[in-house]
Amino acid sequence: MKLDCAIIGGGPAGLNAALVLGRARRHVIVFDHNRPRNAVAYESHGFLTRDGIAPREFRKLAHEDIAKYPSVTIKPDKVIEVMPNHEGFWLTTSNNVMYQARTIILAAGLTETLPRIPGIHDFYGRSLFSCPYCDGWELRDQPLVVISEGSNIFSLAKIVYNWSRDIIVCTNGANLLHPEQLSQLRHKGIEVNYQRIKALIGKEGRLSRVVFENNTETARTGGFVTPSWDQSVSFGERLGCAMTPSGGFVTDDYGRTSVRGVYAAGDTSIVVPAQLIVAAGEGSKAAIGANTDLSHQDFG
């Protein structure tokens, strides 16, 4: 069977795209090998009517919604190759099965690499997070640490200040703050520490102390960290899709990339802000873009 659309990735973007395309009576397969980036999180926030939902519960409810539409299938398989042809694309999976699709939506999201700090993975998703809008409320008025080795550190510190006035900014050995930025932070009572972080101390994912390489330490109960991000799959790059400076794919208002028949949604295209509700909305737009173009083709 020739698919109208193959969706690579079963996160909120891919699932919402599948829902919209299912309601448009399109034949769709969502390829999802169940490696979501938010698996470390216990709760997801900022999604109206679903604030605080566990990612696993969100997926379950989404699958139940999609199951109402018989033209949509969710396959627990991984796409390993995408090749263009005159009718669209051939997709090969890890189970050595080939599918033909008229269009594809890239929605596999990003992979994260955290700073190389001993113990950081023990706290990430429990008391250290990447998005203040997702988890700032839960950490409000607590002594927080902001960890970043990138140029966004000044902006991140200013945003976190909305939730707590007790902040220490840690560059982990980097020196990316300009004197004026440093002055502004100190004027707000925000301490800046340029030492590398030797260890993060706490129990059961709850941070209690940050220890620096000079053996000084500070009591902190949580905070925010900036990972580096890469595309989870390289199909878009190999197909020639133009990319943004931040590492996402250039898309129009309906998820169309620079390559005909290829759409991108969620973190795959926008990178930040990486919120559940934003990704779901991006999936909806990409689905509408794909269905619109398929409809034009059917009349062409």
Side-chain angles (χ1 to χ4, degrees):
M1 179 183 67
K2 185 190 296 184
L3 299 169
D4 290 312
C5 186
I7 300 173
I8 302 174
L15 293 173
N16 216 64
L19 175 64
V20 172
L21 287 171
R23 291 180 56 80
R25 308 184 73 180
R26 294 296 182 182
H27 293 285
V28 176
I29 290 182
V30 180
F31 295 97
D32 178 17
H33 67 297
N34 196 20
R35 296 290 189 274
R37 181 158 69 101
N38 66 353
V40 298
Y42 284 72
E43 295 180 347
S44 295
H45 296 279
F47 199 126
L48 196 63
T49 78
R50 292 291 181 266
D51 190 49
I53 193 170
R56 183 177 298 179
E57 177 67 10
F58 181 88
R59 284 169 58 85
K60 182 180 81 70
L61 293 173
H63 284 211
E64 290 173 359
D65 284 346
I66 292 168
K68 302 170 189 174
Y69 302 96
S71 64
V72 180
T73 302
I74 299 176
K75 284 199 173 293
D77 203 353
K78 181 179 181 179
V79 176
I80 59 173
E81 187 175 15
V82 177
M83 295 291 293
N85 61 39
H86 68 286
E87 294 185 330
F89 306 89
W90 283 110
L91 295 90
T92 305
T93 72
S94 57
N95 290 329
N96 203 31
V97 179
M98 293 188 71
Y99 299 86
Q100 187 172 1
R102 298 170 66 189
T103 62
I104 59 174
I105 294 178
L106 302 174
L110 306 170
T111 56
E112 297 183 313
T113 303
L114 296 173
R116 297 181 63 181
I117 297 171
I120 193 168
H121 290 278
D122 296 334
F123 302 97
Y124 192 58
R126 298 293 304 275
S127 54
L128 286 178
F129 306 94
S130 63
C131 174
Y133 294 101
C134 300
D135 300 288
W137 174 260
E138 283 66 36
L139 297 181
R140 64 192 185 280
D141 299 326
Q142 297 182 36
L144 303 181
V145 61
V146 174
I147 303 170
S148 179
E149 300 169 348
S151 60
N152 75 320
I153 189 166
F154 181 57
S155 176
L156 179 59
K158 289 191 295 183
I159 292 170
V160 173
Y161 190 75
N162 286 286
W163 284 277
S164 175
R165 303 303 164 90
D166 187 354
I167 300 172
I168 291 180
V169 170
C170 297
T171 69
N172 198 36
N175 187 9
L176 295 169
L177 287 166
H178 302 304
E180 183 180 342
Q181 294 173 334
L182 186 62
S183 176
Q184 288 185 43
L185 293 176
R186 287 175 172 166
H187 179 72
K188 291 292 188 180
I190 298 174
E191 180 184 338
V192 177
N193 192 308
Y194 291 103
Q195 292 281 322
R196 297 193 70 85
I197 296 173
K198 181 179 180 180
L200 299 173
I201 308 297
K203 292 183 178 179
E204 298 180 351
R206 301 299 178 184
L207 183 67
S208 61
R209 288 180 292 136
V210 179
V211 182
F212 299 98
E213 63 179 355
N214 63 357
N215 290 321
T216 61
E217 59 181 63
T218 180
R220 302 284 103 179
T221 59
F224 295 91
V225 58
T226 301
S228 59
W229 293 288
D230 295 291
Q231 292 288 334
S232 292
V233 296
S234 59
F235 307 128
E237 296 167 81
R238 282 187 268 171
L239 289 169
C241 298
M243 301 191 74
T244 67
S246 60
F249 292 109
V250 176
T251 59
D252 70 3
D253 290 341
Y254 289 94
R256 300 178 183 94
T257 70
S258 60
V259 175
R260 181 182 173 89
V262 181
Y263 307 79
D267 299 349
T268 298
S269 59
I270 60 172
V271 182
V272 290
Q275 279 198 304
L276 201 68
I277 196 165
V278 174
E282 288 284 306
S284 180
K285 291 197 296 184
I288 292 171
N291 184 66
T292 298
D293 294 343
L294 288 167
S295 297
H296 291 328
Q297 290 176 30
D298 293 340
F299 271 77

